[in-house]
Amino acid sequence: MIATIKEIIGGAKSLLVGMSITAKYGMSKTVTAHYPFETLDITPNFRGHIDLVVNTKTGKHKCISCMMCQRTCPSGCIEIKAEKPEGAKKKQLVEYHLDFTKCSLCGNCVEVCPTKALEYSNEYNLVGTSRHDFHFELVERVVKRADAMGIVVVEEKAEEPKPEKAAAEAPVGDDNSE
Amino acid sequence: MIPHPDPTQETLVLNMGPQHPSTHGVLRVLLKMDGEYVIEAEPVLGYGHRMHEKMGEVRSHNGFYANVGRMDYGGALSFAHGHVLAVERLSDIQVPERAEYIRVITTELNRVASHLLWIGAFLLDLGAFTPILYSFDDREIALDLLEHVTGARITFSYFRVGGVCNDIDEQFIEGTKKFIKRMRERIPMFHKLVTGNIIFRKRVEGIGIIDRDMALRYGVTGPMIRGSGIPYDIRKVEPYSVYPEFDFDIPTYDEGDCMARHKVRMDEIEQSLRIIEQGLEKLPDGPVMMEKVPKKVKSGPGDTFMSVEAARGELCYYLATDGTDTPYRMKIRSPSYSNLSILKEVTSGILLSDLVAVMGSMDLVIPEIDR
């Protein structure tokens, strides 16, 4: 009998202790963010889908079409088309097709790249109504991103590199990108 | 085995799952019931099978980084740790010391996050909604810290054969120190809010008792065997990585009921915090990746067996290679699978609501069972 009464009192006390904690936290500051109205800062290290690095001097990508990323990708989501134009010494990237629906973000492609031409984008708000919305054409994206960063694309003149022009325009591009 | 239909119609067969919320995924439990009492509970697996072992046999070692996180969404880094250690042992790769320290620090942080996830889910199973809000508040901080280093929140793909892919920075170290301080204040709060609560105690004390003998017979590991009074932890009995350099205890409780398992996990959070604290103090300088990492990690013909302590128990990788960069055979012994095998014996003759408590206290992660 006494044990039962003790248990009831002890139990009621434990509930009050729990309630007091709830009350204490109920009065304190809200810990959640009300999403569409406020957003949290995303760390710059966030790994979104891959993107080609924009060269801030020329406004172009650094890819040399060595196909290492395509070969190392365990999911087979990268497809590269490269051509060798008449008279040119090097292969040139024509299409860099990323099928993001297959990608599991292991990062092997970024690490294997010999010219560090790949980076992770910071896009986390990806949404689409069909799976084709997640097929990215990275060469097109480079043009758009260079435009958005305010970099003037330097056209390569065959056999006639102009270092003065590139050097003169580089600081402008750097300022705008930051 | 499907329970036989009962001609006397005294019993009924009930399907729990595969979409039941308290089965935490696509686990189906076939129950033979007498009223509200469970006579026999039979787990039916295979609804989420994705052939991870087979994938390991067609992908190179490097290609498997992304798979380990998909097996255990709660403690992905422990799974990655086991995999890279197995490959490194197989191909005699020496990892820089700093990388091993970073691996241990991040794995323990991930273990804390995993246990916090468990507390929330377990109490949600028991009908208590409040604690998950508190535990997810803390877990969010741990995941933010890990996201800052690894770039992802759940499926990290952070460990590489030969090191880790990113170095930790001052922001992570400061944030982790703050997190440790915060958690030390929050653990007593959890004990007040949850462990002492009379409703919780009535639901878990003396429920689902696993004695030492039964635990050994079924080969359960992790917090479940430690809740039955056996101090079995791979980090102590078969130390790997840099764990021998840390001072930590293995919490055990003799009762073997759901309450003991709850207490073990609460104490383990504290022990993990101790390991992280010591790791940050002792953290050596140097590179985080070995020099000259081969693009294809080739290893001579042979096999290896590596076991590590994941958040849910003993995790083993068996790798056999024939000299290429792809394993010939990969076998994974995941902890939840063995832990689940005890369900039939431990739940015969208990109430249906207690079965939910027992399954919750097992900390089942279904993708790891159906891998």
Side-chain angles (χ1 to χ4, degrees):
Chain A
M1 180 66 189
I2 295 167
T4 322
I5 293 170
K6 262 188 183 171
E7 204 189 325
I8 291 170
I9 293 171
K13 208 180 142 198
S14 78
L15 292 181
L16 287 177
V17 169
M19 290 288 200
S20 69
I21 290 170
T22 316
K24 193 183 135 201
Y25 280 92
M27 299 293 165
S28 60
K29 225 179 114 203
T30 317
V31 292
T32 48
H34 293 263
Y35 169 55
F37 310 109
E38 342 163 12
T39 45
L40 298 173
D41 294 331
I42 297 295
T43 166
N45 297 342
F46 177 76
R47 288 187 294 148
H49 66 79
I50 55 165
D51 244 340
L52 287 166
V53 175
V54 180
N55 189 337
T56 45
K57 283 187 182 146
T58 60
K60 284 185 170 175
H61 59 77
K62 299 179 186 170
C63 180
I64 52 167
S65 323
C66 66
M67 308 274 181
M68 285 296 283
C69 46
Q70 184 179 330
R71 234 174 289 149
T72 197
C73 180
S75 314
C77 47
I78 299 171
E79 232 175 86
I80 298 175
K81 255 189 209 164
E83 273 174 10
K84 205 171 182 181
E86 281 293 313
K89 278 181 188 169
K90 292 173 189 168
K91 268 201 279 185
Q92 279 189 344
L93 186 65
V94 181
E95 275 178 23
Y96 195 113
H97 186 80
L98 171 72
D99 184 356
F100 193 51
T101 54
K102 287 184 198 166
C103 177
S104 45
L105 291 168
C106 62
N108 279 336
C109 48
V110 176
E111 273 160 38
V112 83
C113 185
T115 55
K116 305 260 176 290
L118 288 172
E119 64 179 354
Y120 301 108
S121 73
N122 246 343
E123 282 180 33
Y124 66 98
N125 266 334
L126 283 174
V127 70
T129 48
S130 101
R131 66 176 187 276
H132 303 295
D133 294 350
F134 301 101
H135 290 224
F136 299 117
E137 186 47 56
L138 298 191
V139 179
E140 281 172 21
R141 278 179 63 90
V142 166
V143 178
K144 275 184 204 158
R145 281 167 65 227
D147 204 33
M149 285 156 86
I151 300 168
V152 182
V153 178
V154 181
E155 284 303 329
E156 256 182 56
K157 295 269 162 51
E159 318 296 317
E160 258 187 304
K162 284 186 182 171
E164 307 90 39
K165 195 187 172 191
E169 273 169 9
V172 180
D174 277 352
D175 284 354
N176 290 354
S177 69
E178 276 166 26
Chain B
M1 188 205 72
I2 295 169
H4 298 294
D6 184 12
T8 60
Q9 301 200 332
E10 290 285 317
T11 61
L12 75 144
V13 174
L14 188 69
N15 260 316
M16 189 167 150
Q19 301 293 342
H20 195 276
S22 73
T23 56
H24 298 240
V26 279
L27 171 70
R28 174 174 161 220
V29 185
L30 209 52
L31 302 168
K32 194 177 180 184
M33 312 267 302
D34 183 4
E36 256 203 278
Y37 287 89
V38 177
I39 296 173
E40 210 177 311
E42 184 77 33
V44 185
L45 308 175
Y47 289 91
H49 190 66
R50 288 146 300 157
M51 304 180 289
H52 276 297
E53 287 178 8
K54 189 69 201 169
M55 262 193 251
E57 289 160 18
V58 294
R59 289 175 170 197
S60 63
H61 295 306
N62 293 352
F64 200 66
Y65 294 150
N67 286 58
V68 288
R70 269 78 184 173
M71 277 189 277
D72 183 355
Y73 53 77
L77 285 176
S78 322
F79 269 62
H81 203 180
H83 176 245
V84 291
L85 285 174
V87 177
E88 279 157 11
R89 185 187 271 187
L90 196 61
S91 21
D92 285 329
I93 291 175
Q94 288 297 322
V95 182
E97 208 184 3
R98 186 180 170 87
E100 273 302 349
Y101 270 85
I102 292 172
R103 281 180 184 177
V104 168
I105 290 165
T106 46
T107 307
E108 292 302 322
L109 199 57
N110 198 204
R111 191 189 308 274
V112 173
S114 171
H115 284 341
L116 286 170
L117 168 77
W118 170 79
I119 295 168
F122 177 47
L123 284 141
L124 212 53
D125 285 353
L126 295 176
F129 184 72
T130 316
I132 193 171
L133 302 173
Y134 293 85
S135 72
F136 268 51
D137 185 14
D138 294 332
R139 179 174 177 261
E140 207 61 19
I141 296 169
L143 291 187
D144 279 345
L145 289 168
L146 286 172
E147 187 188 18
H148 181 69
V149 181
T150 65
R153 298 175 69 81
I154 306 286
T155 48
F156 302 103
S157 305
Y158 178 50
F159 297 165
R160 298 280 183 265
V161 173
V164 294
C165 65
N166 267 337
D167 200 354
I168 59 174
D169 58 1
E170 206 50 45
Q171 196 184 332
F172 173 80
I173 294 171
E174 287 306 311
T176 313
K177 280 179 182 162
K178 265 187 209 159
F179 176 69
I180 293 169
K181 209 176 152 214
R182 179 196 160 101
M183 275 313 290
R184 294 230 161 103
E185 286 163 14
R186 295 278 277 196
I187 291 169
M189 187 276 288
F190 273 110
H191 281 303
K192 268 191 199 166
L193 185 70
V194 177
T195 319
N197 188 296
I198 185 72
I199 304 169
F200 174 70
R201 281 174 56 194
K202 291 272 175 198
R203 286 294 303 274
V204 294
E205 275 182 356
I207 302 297
I209 294 177
I210 301 169
D211 55 30
R212 289 175 66 105
D213 178 50
M214 201 201 290
L216 289 173
R217 261 192 292 128
Y218 280 93
V220 301
T221 45
M224 283 184 74
I225 200 167
R226 296 197 280 276
S228 304
I230 301 170
Y232 182 76
D233 189 315
I234 303 291
R235 289 174 294 175
K236 281 277 186 199
V237 298
E238 200 183 311
Y240 56 94
S241 190
V242 287
Y243 277 109
E245 288 166 35
F246 295 114
D247 174 34
F248 62 102
D249 303 323
I250 305 298
T252 54
Y253 286 87
D254 290 331
E255 293 87 359
D257 56 357
C258 296
M259 188 62 159
R261 297 193 272 279
H262 166 75
K263 283 180 181 165
V264 165
R265 289 201 177 89
M266 291 304 289
D267 291 359
E268 262 182 29
I269 293 178
E270 171 59 32
Q271 297 304 326
S272 289
L273 294 178
R274 275 179 69 192
I275 296 175
I276 299 168
E277 206 171 32
Q278 293 169 39
L280 289 176
E281 261 172 35
K282 291 181 183 172
L283 189 69
D285 287 331
V288 293
M289 197 76 185
M290 64 179 274
E291 285 170 35
K292 283 250 168 194
V293 188
K295 287 221 169 71
K296 282 186 172 181
V297 184
K298 281 187 184 173
S299 41
D303 58 348
T304 190
F305 192 82
M306 185 74 218
S307 52
V308 294
E309 183 75 20
R312 276 151 268 280
E314 181 180 355
L315 164 75
C316 306
Y317 279 93
Y318 172 74
L319 288 178
T321 56
D322 50 1
T324 59
D325 66 332
T326 309
Y328 176 74
R329 175 82 176 101
M330 174 183 268
K331 168 86 185 88
I332 303 160
R333 183 246 192 240
S334 66
S336 285
Y337 185 77
S338 303
N339 291 354
L340 181 67
S341 66
I342 207 167
L343 185 77
K344 195 172 177 180
E345 184 165 338
V346 85
T347 56
S348 67
I350 67 172
L351 278 167
L352 179 59
S353 53
D354 291 343
L355 175 106
V356 174
V358 173
M359 275 176 56
S361 76
M362 284 178 175
D363 194 6
L364 299 174
V365 166
I366 310 303
E368 180 198 312
I369 298 169
D370 275 345
R371 55 192 181 275

